[in-house]
Amino acid sequence: MSTTQLPEDFRCPISLEIMSDPVILSSGHTFDRASIQRWLDSGHRTCPITKLPLPDHPHLIPNHALRSLISNFALLPAPGGARPYPGLTPEPGALVAALTSRSSPLEARLEALTRLTKLSNRDPGFRRRLTESGTVSVVLGCVDSDNGLLRERALNLLLNLSLDDDNKVGLVAEGAISKMVGVLRADSANCRALAATIITSLAVVEVNKATIGEYPFAISALISLLRDGNGREKKEAATALFTICSFPENRKRAAANGSVPVLIRAADSGLERAVEVLAMLAKCREGREEMGRCDACVRVLVKVLMNGGCKGVQCALLTLYSLCCYSERICVEVRGQGVLEMCLRWVEGDNEKIRRNATSLAQLLQGDSNRSVR
């Protein structure tokens, strides 16, 4: 049976596509929810098939029986091979069963993870059904697998599930941070980069920032990845640090875990996100003190001013301003690097944020110069 031979009842009468969420209208006919909702939102109050009038606020009743039938077809092998029928969306439970069954071979578990990832990629409804079905604990269990490919595919699915704010706190409650830290400390480069990306996604929710920062080795593992990882790993680690350090207490933790010299080296190598993290850490006393101890700090920030992009320049100016407020010695060093002259040029520039930061730093440096003369 090919997709063109599938039962016609599987197809929405409006879109003629296979239904992913069939619902029954009061006329007794079934449609895909998205299609009939668009019809109703357009102001129609008649059944698309019978043309009979509908209530002002029509009820859409889920057709669970039909959805189950469609799901079962989705898991049947297509003729001549084991690939499922294209165009059919299985129920999460059916795929999760294939993932958790002890009798499932590795290939079947990999296929289940791949399909769950693809289905959840752009479908918030499917992600919601997936989390509601208790799948998170199963997928987190796969992260502990001895098979590297299974771990990587599980991480890809977890990243998709973390896209929705409603899932972020739940994932952390299920133990996702522990799993991600474990991956950061001992796994393949791809898995480590994925784990850092997942931490970034989870940290979008404010309460998770505190939880991640308090978790043992979470911040230190990200710093190690920034120090020792490849290009992608460094970028994802810096992004995760930037996100979690928007929570003030985490800035102190990052400074205490030796992040500053690692960030300065990363910034020196051209990683602009590292400069953004430095600007974040410069907001706390502990961060400024650590930067004051690094001989290369001012030199690297001035290098960013000369060669960096707009965001890098903006953050380098902000960091230098914080450091100059903190230390007169640094203020003298910054002036000696010609930063005041650069700032005076940017004051006349078009970029508002750079202009504002340059103005603040120029005023500070000019005031220091006047004090030195007197």
Side-chain angles (χ1 to χ4, degrees), residues 170-329:
L171 281 165
V172 170
E174 292 262 14
I177 301 305
S178 172
K179 301 293 185 183
M180 296 309 105
V181 172
V183 172
L184 288 173
R185 300 180 78 188
D187 214 311
S188 68
N190 280 346
C191 287
R192 289 193 296 265
L194 279 167
T197 307
I198 290 169
I199 288 176
T200 300
S201 179
L202 295 175
V204 168
V205 176
E206 199 67 23
V207 67
N208 283 350
K209 291 181 172 70
T211 304
I212 294 168
E214 291 172 355
Y215 194 89
F217 308 113
I219 288 178
S220 62
L222 289 169
I223 294 169
S224 296
L225 188 64
L226 177 61
R227 182 188 63 227
D228 303 324
N230 61 28
R232 179 190 173 200
E233 291 174 284
K234 289 178 185 291
K235 182 178 179 181
E236 297 299 343
T239 300
L241 286 169
F242 176 78
T243 305
I244 65 177
C245 284
S246 64
F247 182 71
E249 200 63 30
N250 287 340
R251 300 168 197 163
K252 302 176 184 179
R253 295 186 178 112
N257 276 277
S259 64
V260 168
V262 176
L263 288 162
I264 290 172
R265 284 195 294 272
D268 197 16
S269 70
L271 183 60
E272 194 168 88
R273 180 66 81 176
V275 189
E276 297 178 46
V277 183
L278 285 170
M280 192 77 73
L281 298 188
K283 295 179 179 180
C284 73
R285 176 180 56 80
E286 293 82 355
R288 293 190 294 271
E289 289 177 351
E290 288 298 317
M291 291 179 214
R293 295 188 186 102
C294 290
D295 293 337
C297 184
V298 170
R299 176 187 63 79
V300 170
L301 290 172
V302 172
K303 178 181 175 182
V304 174
L305 292 183
M306 293 188 294
N307 303 316
C310 289
K311 188 67 174 180
V313 170
Q314 173 193 334
C315 291
L317 287 167
L318 188 60
T319 306
L320 287 170
Y321 178 83
S322 297
L323 292 175
C324 288
C325 289
Y326 155 74
S327 166
E328 186 174 341
R329 175 187 62 80

Side-chain angles (χ1 to χ4, degrees), residues 1-12 16-19 66 69-79 83-89:
M1 179 184 292
S2 67
T3 52
T4 57
Q5 297 172 312
L6 288 169
E8 285 302 312
D9 287 344
F10 286 10
R11 301 182 184 278
C12 173
L16 302 182
E17 298 291 335
I18 295 167
M19 290 183 277
L66 180 56
L69 282 173
I70 294 172
S71 176
N72 289 336
F73 260 85
L75 293 173
L76 289 174
R83 298 292 297 178
Y85 286 103
L88 297 181
T89 303

Side-chain angles (χ1 to χ4, degrees), residues 111-131:
E111 176 65 18
L113 282 171
T114 299
R115 298 200 67 208
L116 287 168
T117 302
K118 289 181 178 178
L119 291 165
S120 63
N121 190 36
R122 296 183 179 179
D123 187 345
F126 188 84
R127 292 197 292 269
R128 184 178 62 253
R129 287 158 55 199
L130 205 54
T131 52

